[in-house]
Amino acid sequence: MTDDLLGRHRAVLPDWLALYYEEPIEITHGEGRHVWDAHGNRYLDFFGGILTTMTAHALPEVTKAVSEQAGRIIHSSTLYLNRPMVELAERIAQLSGIPDARVFFTTSGTEANDTALLLATAYRRSNTVLAMRNSYHGRSFSSVGITGNRGWSPTSLSPLQTLYVHGGVRTRGPYAALSDDDFIAACVDDLVDLLGHTRPPAALIAEPIQGVGGFTSPPDGLYAAFREVLHERGILWIADEVQTGWGRTGEHFWGWQAHGRSGPPDIMTFAKGIGNGMSIGGVVARSEIMNCLDANSISTFGGTQITMAAGLANLTYLLEHDLQGNARRVGGLLIERVRAAAAQVPAVREVRGRGLMIGLEITKPGTDEADPQAAAAVLEAAREGGLLIGKGGGHNTSSLRVAPPLSLNVAEAEEGAAILENALRSIQ
């Protein structure tokens, strides 16, 4: 990036619109798992535009679908029949596991979560929402109001009454020292106690793995146990699959399936990877929930033909090439390689995640105190070595996030792990 472009950015865009790196880079093009900046430097991309380039950069099947659709019609709104939208909705409804599912398309995960909150509060006639501590659900007024991560919640004003529940972070908080079974039992007891002190909530919204929170997660089975409590009281469960969906975790197609005995959620939101960079979000819900609204509603840009064509091509490629299986195999190799490297670096408190969704928590050695400066230094060193990764975490953004495209191969995983190892060693 030239100084001129950076100066122009600062002159017309908000101060709170963050840029990575002390010297921000302009990414000009990409191919496969690599991107190039304006100076011709090539990088392995282990962040994918915030988990959005799900399959690969410049995937021929997607670019061809977009080009062909653009030559026909780009957009008409939801006021007209839209074949690509119907076809993608049919596939997502079937894949969701939700019975008699209906699908509504939006342009982002934020808008998807907004819609889920609208549906849940209208269906239950309650504006009380349960959310997880350390959670993130978007940047709109309502989704900020249920975000349990101080670094991403600029206001306490909200149209919703939000109550925060224990359990999203396994290794911090009052129950961290417990066994997995005891951890789940304590979180359930806390939930039951909380529900005894409030009017009936509309829903619990939860990310199966907390994305912006630093790829933290509870033990498998927590949300199944929560669901039993919620179901007894008629409270809905919203699974925020914006970052965990489409097979990224390797073991499951959806993150909620790690808590499988509960069955599917009542409402599920998705976005990011399905469009491989095109703006697609959406909500899946049982028909009686989706159809509960008694006022008119449309979407101007949700489900527009060009994004739906991209989503169809991308989903087809993902399924035909078993990218979920690849995430499990290559992601398993990558996380073990990262754990081996991190074991030699005292500043790494924890390596966590599953599939191609890996988090490293950076703290001051020998303590649980966050060290955002060290995390930022690793981010910089990785870039200098030719690797792009992300940041996150609920403790002053002291976690690093590794989430490559799901087509990552073994050689690229080894190369990226070696660069990350060198970056980690640089802070010792």
Side-chain angles (χ1 to χ4, degrees):
M1 175 182 284
T2 65
D3 290 341
D4 179 56
L5 184 57
L6 178 58
R8 289 161 60 193
H9 174 103
R10 289 173 172 164
V12 296
L13 297 172
D15 291 346
W16 42 260
L17 194 62
L19 289 168
Y20 273 176
Y21 308 119
E22 293 180 7
E23 296 182 7
I25 61 175
E26 177 192 0
I27 294 176
T28 57
H29 62 286
E31 182 178 350
R33 277 70 56 193
H34 292 86
V35 294
W36 284 258
D37 69 17
H39 299 294
N41 299 307
R42 188 179 82 150
Y43 304 94
L44 259 178
D45 183 4
F46 274 26
F47 202 39
I50 319 179
L51 290 82
T52 298
T53 305
M54 177 171 68
T55 49
H57 290 280
L59 186 71
E61 289 82 352
V62 172
T63 56
K64 180 174 183 287
V66 169
S67 177
E68 290 179 351
Q69 183 61 55
R72 293 191 293 269
I73 187 169
I74 292 174
H75 167 76
S76 68
S77 89
T78 56
L79 292 172
Y80 305 93
L81 285 173
N82 179 332
R83 188 174 300 273
M85 181 171 68
V86 171
E87 290 176 352
L88 186 55
E90 288 172 338
R91 299 195 73 179
I92 291 173
Q94 187 275 323
L95 289 165
S96 73
I98 295 175
D100 193 21
R102 298 291 188 271
V103 182
F104 178 76
F105 289 105
T106 67
T107 60
S108 69
T110 291
E111 190 188 348
N113 284 331
D114 262 354
T115 304
L117 293 170
L118 172 65
L119 292 172
T121 54
Y123 184 77
R124 290 275 295 160
R125 304 197 64 79
S126 168
N127 76 329
T128 300
V129 174
L130 303 172
M132 305 303 295
R133 299 179 185 189
N134 194 50
S135 60
Y136 175 83
H137 298 288
R139 59 168 180 76
S140 66
F141 189 45
S142 64
S143 59
V144 160
I146 59 166
T147 287
N149 185 318
R150 172 65 186 87
W152 292 91
S153 186
T155 177
S156 60
L157 301 174
S158 175
L160 303 167
Q161 179 186 23
T162 307
L163 304 172
Y164 292 103
V165 180
H166 283 294
V169 182
R170 176 66 183 89
T171 62
R172 285 183 178 271
Y175 307 143
L178 300 177
S179 69
D180 283 355
D181 288 346
D182 288 345
F183 180 94
I184 291 173
C187 291
V188 169
D189 287 345
D190 177 71
L191 173 63
V192 171
D193 181 70
L194 177 64
L195 293 173
H197 296 283
T198 184
R199 296 186 62 81
L204 166 72
I205 184 168
E207 306 156 273
I209 297 177
Q210 295 181 326
V212 170
F215 293 169
T216 59
S217 63
D220 289 355
L222 175 75
Y223 293 119
F226 276 4
R227 181 70 187 282
E228 293 176 4
V229 173
L230 301 174
H231 185 71
E232 289 174 357
R233 294 159 175 80
I235 301 167
L236 304 179
W237 176 30
I238 304 170
D240 179 343
E241 297 276 357
V242 169
Q243 297 197 29
T244 48
W246 318 110
R248 176 163 290 280
T249 67
E251 297 174 30
H252 305 285
F253 196 75
W254 305 110
W256 67 260
Q257 290 170 320
H259 308 269
R261 79 171 190 267
S262 66
D266 300 292
I267 303 174
M268 184 179 74
T269 61
F270 61 85
K272 289 193 182 290
I274 182 60
N276 207 43
M278 299 294 280
S279 297
I280 305 177
V283 183
V284 190
R286 299 198 318 270
S287 61
E288 71 269 22
I289 298 173
M290 185 68 80
N291 294 331
C292 76
L293 302 184
D294 60 2
N296 295 324
S297 191
I298 63 167
S299 180
T300 302
F301 289 108
T304 197
Q305 283 92 334
I306 196 165
T307 61
M308 297 294 96
L312 277 165
N314 196 44
L315 181 58
T316 298
Y317 184 92
L318 178 139
L319 294 172
E320 290 182 350
H321 292 81
D322 187 25
L323 295 193
Q324 177 187 337
N326 191 66
R328 181 178 63 253
R329 294 184 296 271
V330 180
L333 180 153
L334 180 59
I335 196 168
E336 290 309 314
R337 181 77 165 77
V338 171
R339 281 184 172 138
Q344 310 302 315
V345 182
V348 181
R349 178 179 180 269
E350 182 182 19
V351 177
R352 56 189 175 236
R354 58 193 354 161
L356 287 172
M357 195 171 185
I358 302 167
L360 298 85
E361 186 173 345
I362 308 298
T363 58
K364 294 180 179 178
T367 77
D368 287 341
E369 184 179 351
D371 195 341
Q373 290 76 27
V378 176
L379 192 83
E380 291 281 355
R383 182 198 61 78
E384 291 171 6
L387 178 70
L388 304 185
I389 57 176
K391 289 192 297 184
H395 298 273
N396 298 316
T397 62
S398 64
S399 294
L400 300 169
R401 295 197 284 165
V402 175
L406 302 188
S407 58
L408 184 76
N409 62 43
V410 170
E412 292 163 340
E414 292 282 5
E415 179 186 356
I419 297 170
L420 183 56
E421 179 176 3
N422 288 335
L424 289 169
R425 290 183 183 279
S426 74
I427 64 171
Q428 293 196 89

